[in-house]
Amino acid sequence: MIQNVEFRFEGGRCGVLLIHGLTGTPTEMRLVGKGLNNAGFSVRGMQLAGHCGDARDLIATGWKDWYASVEAAAESFRHEVDHLFVAGLSMGGILALKLAAERPEWIAGVGVYGATFRYDGWAVPWYGRLSFLLPLLHRLGIGRHRMVHENEPYGLRDERLRKQVSGLMLGGDSAAAGLPGNPWPSLAEMYNMAAVVRRELPKVTAPCLIAHATEDDVASVENAYLVARSVSGPVDMLLLEDSYHMITIDRERRTLIHRSAEFFSKVAATRTPAARAVA
């Protein structure tokens, strides 16, 4: 059964919509949300369609459902604030970019955290690097009940936190720590979406803060450079050297929070009152 673990932190007239990753949970965005709220932002930590339940719940949805839930959350939130920013981790970063491409009039700026167009990090096993073939297998009806299991270091350089999160995940608490792996059909959907968004990146005109771990175990930093090369708006890069993939909760999360708050505040300060009313 799907549990609702979305969160809301009330603050000022600048809002940030936070999007978690594939098989993840809003909990992985909560510390960033709290930090941004402490900096004066209103924050919504949304929950993607089909998430925070079991694998069957997730498989029952596809990338268009995930994006529809993002767009619905943004549509609601944007009427409560003068400036709406969107930020996401991993696949959540891809969804944030799609929202900025599809709804440029809504979005003042984007936080792209650990963008994952391909699973090509140093800890991904050789067969995991072939997951780009999953859309073909999915179309052929192969592997519907198979899963690519998570493995050490679970996106976390902080060993204490890694032990805590892996215990929750492997213990079946998907609302707190996500699923212990990626179902093949869901990975296929993610790759299909990534291909669409990659073509749409030039439509992203909003300023982007692109944050990525230099030693990302799940998605290499080349994913970040792809975004930086392809979007049309201004780019600010933040490369983190003491974290793995889960940069929103790993060792340098405070740096990520500080730079995000600084970036969003700077962008908001450049927008005129007329543009603020549209946002």
Side-chain angles (χ1 to χ4, degrees), residues 86-104:
V86 60
L89 173 66
S90 194
M91 186 187 77
I94 309 304
L95 286 162
L97 288 164
K98 182 164 181 62
L99 181 66
E102 296 286 343
R103 300 290 186 179

Side-chain angles (χ1 to χ4, degrees), residues 201-259:
L201 287 177
K203 294 168 58 179
V204 178
T205 57
C208 292
L209 172 64
I210 303 172
H212 212 99
T214 57
E215 296 183 48
D216 194 312
D217 57 314
V218 174
S220 78
V221 73
E222 178 55 35
N223 287 269
Y225 293 136
L226 167 65
V227 177
R229 290 194 304 266
S230 303
V231 296
S232 298
V235 166
D236 191 354
M237 289 285 289
L238 171 61
L239 298 180
L240 300 168
E241 298 181 354
D242 195 27
S243 300
Y244 290 157
H245 184 63
M246 301 294 291
I247 59 175
T248 56
I249 60 174
D250 211 351
R251 290 178 177 173
E252 294 164 291
R253 61 184 180 273
R254 291 178 181 85
T255 300
L256 178 66
I257 292 166
H258 172 74
R259 284 288 297 275

Side-chain angles (χ1 to χ4, degrees), residues 8-270:
R8 297 167 62 101
F9 300 135
E10 302 302 333
R13 295 293 299 172
C14 288
V16 185
L17 179 67
L18 297 175
I19 311 169
H20 63 83
L22 178 63
T23 75
T25 164
T27 304
E28 66 198 31
M29 308 301 292
R30 193 177 185 90
L31 290 175
V32 169
K34 194 63 179 174
L36 289 171
N37 181 244
N38 289 339
F41 294 87
S42 291
V43 178
R44 302 289 182 269
M46 65 156 297
Q47 185 168 317
L48 294 174
H51 287 70
C52 299
D54 59 24
R56 289 172 298 179
D57 296 316
L58 182 57
I59 292 172
T61 61
W63 77 261
K64 292 181 180 179
D65 301 303
W66 308 334
Y67 176 68
S69 61
V70 170
E71 194 168 74
E75 164 63 20
S76 174
F77 193 15
R78 75 187 185 95
H79 296 293
E80 303 174 25
V81 295
D82 294 331
H83 306 291
L84 177 61
F85 297 90
V86 60
L89 173 66
S90 194
M91 186 187 77
I94 309 304
L95 286 162
L97 288 164
K98 182 164 181 62
L99 181 66
E102 296 286 343
R103 300 290 186 179
E105 70 279 12
W106 293 4
I107 304 303
V110 187
V112 187
Y113 305 154
T116 305
F117 285 89
R118 290 192 62 166
Y119 290 90
D120 58 354
W122 61 263
V124 176
W126 67 267
Y127 52 86
R129 293 171 181 264
L130 299 177
S131 55
F132 66 92
L133 296 173
L134 288 174
L136 173 60
L137 299 179
H138 185 48
R139 288 195 297 272
L140 296 174
I142 298 171
R144 178 170 176 79
H145 302 291
R146 302 198 65 173
M147 180 179 288
V148 177
H149 290 278
E150 297 281 349
N151 59 302
E152 294 278 354
Y154 301 110
L156 291 163
R157 192 160 194 157
D158 186 309
E159 294 180 3
R160 179 190 58 81
L161 187 59
R162 182 193 309 164
K163 183 177 181 180
Q164 179 183 351
V165 170
S166 63
L168 290 169
M169 183 173 60
L170 298 175
D173 192 346
S174 65
L179 291 175
N182 294 300
W184 279 22
S186 300
L187 275 175
E189 288 289 324
M190 195 285 293
Y191 269 102
N192 285 333
M193 182 185 70
V196 171
V197 176
R198 185 168 181 168
R199 293 192 295 270
E200 293 180 342
L201 287 177
K203 294 168 58 179
V204 178
T205 57
C208 292
L209 172 64
I210 303 172
H212 212 99
T214 57
E215 296 183 48
D216 194 312
D217 57 314
V218 174
S220 78
V221 73
E222 178 55 35
N223 287 269
Y225 293 136
L226 167 65
V227 177
R229 290 194 304 266
S230 303
V231 296
S232 298
V235 166
D236 191 354
M237 289 285 289
L238 171 61
L239 298 180
L240 300 168
E241 298 181 354
D242 195 27
S243 300
Y244 290 157
H245 184 63
M246 301 294 291
I247 59 175
T248 56
I249 60 174
D250 211 351
R251 290 178 177 173
E252 294 164 291
R253 61 184 180 273
R254 291 178 181 85
T255 300
L256 178 66
I257 292 166
H258 172 74
R259 284 288 297 275
S260 296
E262 183 179 65
F263 179 80
F264 296 149
S265 295
K266 182 178 178 181
V267 171
T270 67

